[in-house]
Amino acid sequence: AQSVSQHNHHVILSEAASLELGCNYSYGGTVNLFWYVQYPGQHLQLLLKYFSGDPLVKGIKGFEAEFIKSKFSFNLRKPSVQWSDTAEYFCAVILTSGTYKYIFGTGTRLKVLA
Amino acid sequence: EAGVAQSPRYKIIEKRQSVAFWCNPISGHATLYWYQQILGQGPKLLIQFQNNGVVDDSQLPKDRFSAERLKGVDSTLKIQPAKLEDSAVYLCASSLDLKPIRDEQFFGPGTRLTVL
């Protein structure tokens, strides 16, 4: 069965530290990839997405992610986090055939200390 | 642009009772999703509609859960009877296209259900 794994469930960083959140998926076919974020008290919202082309994609608020097809990975990065990045981050894939089902990872809860 | 609306925001019921949730997607969005998010887990797709037709309900516990999307607009999700393990946040989301492989999903605020 298709699945998405996020290995870090909780991450605590100090402001200005660099961030990398891991995401791996298991599916042999073509997928499109997303990162969503949920800030405290807010709705889930899109951070960035990858469909094709340059495997390094840039999103909002200085986030970027790199798709490595051979590793089935789509890791999220930010060079220098801010207190306002405290949130829960979800990786998601959508299968590009069949019913176009979205599959979410279990999420990583990031806390940035001021 | 108005977002995805959901009601109620919170609901507490006893096991074996029934409950219904309502979702109004963004106007013009063809695809509507219901997710179940249990504490500490990611959203799990329960059912996906394209207009008013069901595309995927493979993870919907059909013996107790039902959903409909009348006229391809708003939708209701019902649980009857509820079990303790149904305690979760129920999220509704919508996206623009019928084949949303590149579409962003827009999420509502969710309904937090507690089953006692």
Side-chain angles (χ1 to χ4, degrees), chain A residues 56-109:
Chain A
L56 186 63
V57 293
K58 296 189 184 300
I60 59 171
K61 304 186 180 184
F63 285 90
E64 62 181 31
E66 184 176 15
F67 172 52
I68 303 179
K69 189 174 181 179
S70 60
K71 295 185 178 180
F72 298 90
S73 70
F74 189 55
N75 293 353
L76 181 70
R77 299 197 292 248
K78 186 171 184 179
S80 175
V81 295
Q82 301 173 315
W83 177 80
S84 57
D85 294 324
T86 294
E88 191 158 17
Y89 294 81
F90 293 92
C91 181
V93 304
I94 186 167
L95 312 183
T96 59
S97 61
T99 60
Y100 316 106
K101 181 165 41 177
Y102 251 77
I103 303 170
F104 280 85
T106 51
T108 297
R109 195 175 293 269

Side-chain angles (χ1 to χ4, degrees), chain B residues 17-32:
Chain B
Q17 286 187 322
S18 62
V19 64
F21 313 127
W22 174 82
C23 171
N24 190 20
I26 293 173
S27 178
H29 278 198
T31 304
L32 185 147

Side-chain angles (χ1 to χ4, degrees), chain A residues 32 34 36 38 43-44 46 49 51-52 90 94-96 99-102 104-106, chain B residues 35 37 41-43 45 48 55-56 58 91 99-105 107-109:
Chain A
N32 291 334
F34 304 80
Y36 282 82
Q38 187 168 25
H43 308 177
L44 272 163
L46 183 69
K49 56 188 176 183
F51 305 138
S52 63
F90 293 92
I94 186 167
L95 312 183
T96 59
T99 60
Y100 316 106
K101 181 165 41 177
Y102 251 77
F104 280 85
T106 51
Chain B
Y35 290 90
Q37 187 175 16
Q41 300 181 21
L45 181 69
Q48 178 179 338
V55 174
D56 189 322
S58 56
L91 296 168
K99 294 185 178 181
I101 62 173
R102 295 191 171 201
D103 266 9
E104 171 183 359
Q105 290 193 19
F107 285 84

Side-chain angles (χ1 to χ4, degrees), chain B residues 6-17:
Chain B
Q6 288 187 249
S7 67
R9 293 293 310 277
Y10 304 91
K11 190 74 178 179
I12 300 174
I13 62 172
E14 295 189 349
K15 60 183 179 183
R16 291 188 289 273
Q17 286 187 322

